[in-house]
Amino acid sequence: MFLYSENIYTPEGFQKGYLNIHDGKIMGIFQEVDAEDVVDYANGIIIPGFIDIHMHGWATGSLWLNGNKEAVKNMSKDLVKVGVTSYLATTGTDAVDTLKGQLEDTRKFIENWEPTKGSQVIGVHLEGPFINKEYKGMQKEEYCIDPSIEITESLLESAGEGNVKLMTLAPELPNADRVITYLHEKGIQVSIGHSAAEFEDIARVKDLGVGGFTHTFSGMRGFHHRRLGVVGAAMYFEDMYAEFSKQTGMTVKPEAFAIVYRLKGPEKIILSTDCTGLAQVKEPFYHYIRKCTFTPFGSDVKLIYDDGREEIMDKNNYEQVKDIELSYLGSVKNVVKNVKASIRDIVKMASENPAKYIGIDHYKGSIEAGKDADVIVIDDEWNLIDTYVKGVKQNIR
Amino acid sequence: MFLYSENIYTPEGFQKGYLNIHDGKIMGIFQEVDAEDVVDYANGIIIPGFIDIHMHGWATGSLWLNGNKEAVKNMSKDLVKVGVTSYLATTGTDAVDTLKGQLEDTRKFIENWEPTKGSQVIGVHLEGPFINKEYKGMQKEEYCIDPSIEITESLLESAGEGNVKLMTLAPELPNADRVITYLHEKGIQVSIGHSAAEFEDIARVKDLGVGGFTHTFSGMRGFHHRRLGVVGAAMYFEDMYAEFSKQTGMTVKPEAFAIVYRLKGPEKIILSTDCTGLAQVKEPFYHYIRKCTFTPFGSDVKLIYDDGREEIMDKNNYEQVKDIELSYLGSVKNVVKNVKASIRDIVKMASENPAKYIGIDHYKGSIEAGKDADVIVIDDEWNLIDTYVKGVKQNIR
């Protein structure tokens, strides 16, 4: 199959030509072809699909809130509609047995996944349970526990060999260094998050292989000029990645994002969503930033705002629930607007960097011969025209 | 007179040659001269003298703590020993009548100053009294008052026509906008300091002509990613200057300075000292960062540390008191070490920028024909070899 475009973004810059896809892989870009199966996108822009490394749930599916077999399946089906061609299914901080159940379900989906099922789960991100109660954010305090090699081993086992790609933890907790070293030896990336660490803690664990920060600014000790904390370390250490969850402006003001963007550049920022699939709550859940309680209501979800407004939505209807949280694509559009990011900048933050960060850049993250044919087609206002996962065109309407 | 050096720093870069000084002015750099009055500095480095825009007192003199006629005289005599060739005599937040007395004494010194008297007082910096009690730092709470045009007028009158070059105020206080506009019309620079302002306040007064921030990080609302405050504004607004007072690492950690240095570059940072001449206290003064009480003790000063240590020094003996506070030159050395600043970077932050900021760059701040011959000679480890003020060689030993 060939996708024609005047603007195909590759690591060498934009190219015009026919992107050849065969057996789910990118074969190369050709200037002339004599073939039947050509899709002509004319001046549509072809870029790598987004990789979301922080994804608890989206639209009609939620691993975190409703961790059953349908959850990841529905997430994959819906994520392609917002440009995400692969992601890390992300657990929250729950009882270890609950986590193991979620990981086993995810593993089964990974093993049986095929490109017709939508976005690819390329692994798991464990957000906790080794996080600091003091900065738990929306995680459950009773399940925030001290780092343990044994628990880590059992979680890795439930997830299946090689499936855990990233763990978020608080490096100031007892035994954290041992767990970090253990994960590093297994080739698993570690991010700092939900943490009261001091700047000096970060300097120490950086040398143990910790690569970056989870939802920078949120769930961490803030910045002070005599006590720089996690935020100061994220600003200071140029070689560490800062993950930023959806840029709505609600959790992190655009100007605060812009400051870190100027410090680190698109080279060391990773865009994620940290979406939870809020429509899938199983019990009433109060969102303190949105000032709204989400309550299950039969096959619907009821939203009750602090100001008295109420909304009822069919939780299985994508069109009804898709705007509850800002999508990956919506977040990208905000970043484009707020820091005047170019296509190159976005591809770095949304595809290349996340692939490098979790060690999958040898087969995902850019349009290069030999890599998976995970691409999206957009217009020049970042509207999604088409999504391909391993060369399979997805149903995005 | 000619000063020969292989390294004379000019806005066009380093030049080798004979720096010609006549009548207190720089005439130019010549490649060959036939003259008697040549001082050969060989590989000594000639750069513009430092301009300290935040100087309450130094060594044997203190306008703030002991505002009499001797105060500024002693400051000028001692400042040349640490490379400062001109400065703004800086008042603190005191009773309006006290301030007026200090300003009148300063005016008389300005009027009678000549280059043999040491560092030139090129004007006054009023730090307060229109500052916020909540962020008073070491200023006196009872004298923090709301902005007033009438009080401003009377202070300007005491200081003498054109002498006030800079005022630090808190823009969130009532009537601040009117005073800012008034000062702007008079060509007086305004800095934000000792302020609880919100980010949005700064965005507003920036348009009224406010140019920067006083002792960035200290005495201001801190940074939060949803409430950026004064610190966030200092980081965000690239065209505003951030003044940093002496880089001891005690008040602002080197890494916090480095973050702002990366954001703004040497182009928008101003180095100052905010030194107070602590030996000149008239009543016991507790310094909460140094954890030490300074007490007058006849013609001596007694230092009593929280840990019980005591020191007694002759307050009129430069050698005894010069290390109580970090000098301008000492601060420069720390900046060189901490952010690997080049000579060019330091000249920007210590001479060019302060001159531009207070509007004296047409006659001070760089080695260019027509400007005042305020230069210092250093070796390649930033040790001071000689200081010239308006072409007059100073007594620096």
Side-chain angles (χ1 to χ4, degrees), chain B residues 94-97 99-100 103 126 128-130 143-159 164 167 175 179 182-183:
Chain B
D94 273 299
V96 172
D97 281 339
L99 294 176
K100 288 168 77 170
L103 293 171
L126 299 167
F130 311 140
Y143 301 125
C144 298
I145 55 176
D146 285 345
S148 144
I149 298 273
E150 292 65 35
I151 294 172
T152 306
E153 274 175 346
S154 75
L155 294 173
L156 264 53
E157 195 187 326
S158 298
V164 173
M167 187 176 215
N175 221 18
V179 170
Y182 172 85
L183 292 167

Side-chain angles (χ1 to χ4, degrees), chain A residues 199-200 216-219 222-228 231-233 235-238 249-256 258-260 262-263 288-289 338, chain B residues 199-200 216-219 222-228 231-233 235-238 249-256 258-260 262-263 288-289 338:
Chain A
F199 183 85
E200 294 71 20
T216 306
F217 286 131
S218 298
F223 179 86
H224 186 274
H225 52 287
R226 281 195 291 278
R227 193 180 184 187
L228 279 78
V231 166
M235 287 181 170
Y236 183 74
F237 291 117
E238 291 173 291
M250 275 199 302
T251 41
V252 175
K253 286 245 187 191
E255 292 84 1
I259 287 169
V260 181
R262 257 185 259 156
L263 282 166
Y288 66 81
I289 294 177
N338 291 337
Chain B
F199 182 87
E200 294 71 20
T216 305
F217 286 132
S218 298
F223 179 86
H224 186 275
H225 52 287
R226 281 193 291 279
R227 192 180 184 188
L228 279 79
V231 166
M235 287 181 169
Y236 183 74
F237 291 117
E238 290 173 292
M250 275 199 301
T251 41
V252 176
K253 287 247 187 190
E255 293 83 2
I259 287 168
V260 181
R262 257 185 258 156
L263 282 166
Y288 66 81
I289 294 177
N338 292 337

Side-chain angles (χ1 to χ4, degrees), chain A residues 246-286:
Chain A
K246 54 186 169 306
Q247 280 305 294
T248 57
M250 275 199 302
T251 41
V252 175
K253 286 245 187 191
E255 292 84 1
F257 176 79
I259 287 169
V260 181
Y261 188 74
R262 257 185 259 156
L263 282 166
K264 304 189 93 75
E267 284 71 19
K268 293 292 174 188
I269 287 179
I270 292 174
L271 300 180
S272 74
T273 63
D274 195 10
C275 281
T276 47
L278 279 171
Q280 310 306 317
V281 288
K282 277 170 126 173
E283 52 193 51
F285 177 85
Y286 180 66

Side-chain angles (χ1 to χ4, degrees), chain B residues 140-243:
Chain B
K140 300 183 192 100
E141 180 160 342
E142 63 269 37
Y143 301 125
C144 298
I145 55 176
D146 285 345
S148 144
I149 298 273
E150 292 65 35
I151 294 172
T152 306
E153 274 175 346
S154 75
L155 294 173
L156 264 53
E157 195 187 326
S158 298
E161 179 72 26
N163 280 337
V164 173
K165 300 279 191 227
L166 175 60
M167 187 176 215
T168 291
L169 53 69
E172 72 279 15
L173 296 177
N175 221 18
D177 287 20
R178 279 191 59 211
V179 170
I180 291 168
T181 303
Y182 172 85
L183 292 167
H184 194 52
E185 283 166 2
K186 297 257 175 199
I188 298 168
Q189 182 60 277
V190 179
S191 287
I192 294 156
H194 295 286
S195 163
E198 302 291 347
F199 182 87
E200 294 71 20
D201 290 318
I202 316 292
R204 185 189 77 243
V205 297
K206 184 174 180 290
D207 291 335
L208 299 178
V210 169
F213 303 89
T214 293
H215 48 47
T216 305
F217 286 132
S218 298
M220 50 183 64
R221 181 180 294 293
F223 179 86
H224 186 275
H225 52 287
R226 281 193 291 279
R227 192 180 184 188
L228 279 79
V230 184
V231 166
M235 287 181 169
Y236 183 74
F237 291 117
E238 290 173 292
D239 51 348
M240 293 180 83
Y241 285 87
E243 178 213 306

Side-chain angles (χ1 to χ4, degrees), chain A residues 14-196:
Chain A
F14 281 102
Q15 294 189 35
K16 175 179 176 174
Y18 297 84
L19 180 69
N20 184 208
I21 295 171
H22 183 73
D23 236 2
K25 297 280 180 195
I26 292 164
M27 308 308 287
I29 296 170
F30 298 88
Q31 294 315 307
E32 280 185 36
V33 296
D34 180 18
E36 296 282 299
D37 50 349
V38 173
V39 187
D40 184 357
Y41 286 109
N43 54 2
I45 302 157
I46 301 182
I47 63 174
F50 305 137
I51 302 174
D52 192 348
I53 64 168
H54 197 153
M55 166 43 60
H56 298 290
W58 171 244
T60 67
S62 175
L63 177 65
W64 188 28
L65 297 170
N66 195 359
N68 59 25
K69 286 172 192 147
E70 293 298 300
V72 196
K73 185 177 154 193
N74 286 342
M75 288 160 69
S76 283
K77 170 178 71 64
D78 288 345
L79 281 167
V80 292
K81 298 170 186 170
V82 291
V84 177
T85 52
S86 63
Y87 65 103
L88 292 182
T90 305
T91 55
T93 291
D94 274 299
V96 172
D97 282 340
T98 308
L99 293 177
K100 289 168 77 169
Q102 292 173 359
L103 293 171
E104 277 159 24
D105 281 352
T106 303
R107 176 172 54 76
K108 284 177 202 149
F109 183 76
I110 290 175
E111 287 165 359
N112 294 302
W113 175 85
E114 48 192 61
T116 51
K117 292 186 178 174
S119 192
Q120 183 177 9
V121 184
I122 22 116
V124 169
H125 171 184
L126 299 168
E127 188 180 15
F130 311 140
I131 62 171
N132 196 316
K133 288 174 186 171
E134 199 188 333
Y135 288 92
K136 64 181 189 297
M138 298 200 197
Q139 305 291 340
K140 300 181 191 103
E141 181 161 340
E142 63 268 38
Y143 300 125
C144 298
I145 55 176
D146 285 346
S148 144
I149 299 272
E150 292 63 37
I151 293 171
T152 307
E153 274 175 345
S154 75
L155 294 173
L156 264 53
E157 195 188 326
S158 297
E161 180 71 25
N163 280 336
V164 173
K165 301 278 191 228
L166 176 61
M167 187 176 214
T168 292
L169 54 69
E172 71 279 15
L173 295 178
N175 222 17
D177 288 20
R178 277 192 60 210
V179 170
I180 291 168
T181 304
Y182 173 84
L183 293 167
H184 194 51
E185 285 166 1
K186 297 256 176 200
I188 297 168
Q189 181 62 276
V190 178
S191 287
I192 293 156
H194 295 284
S195 163

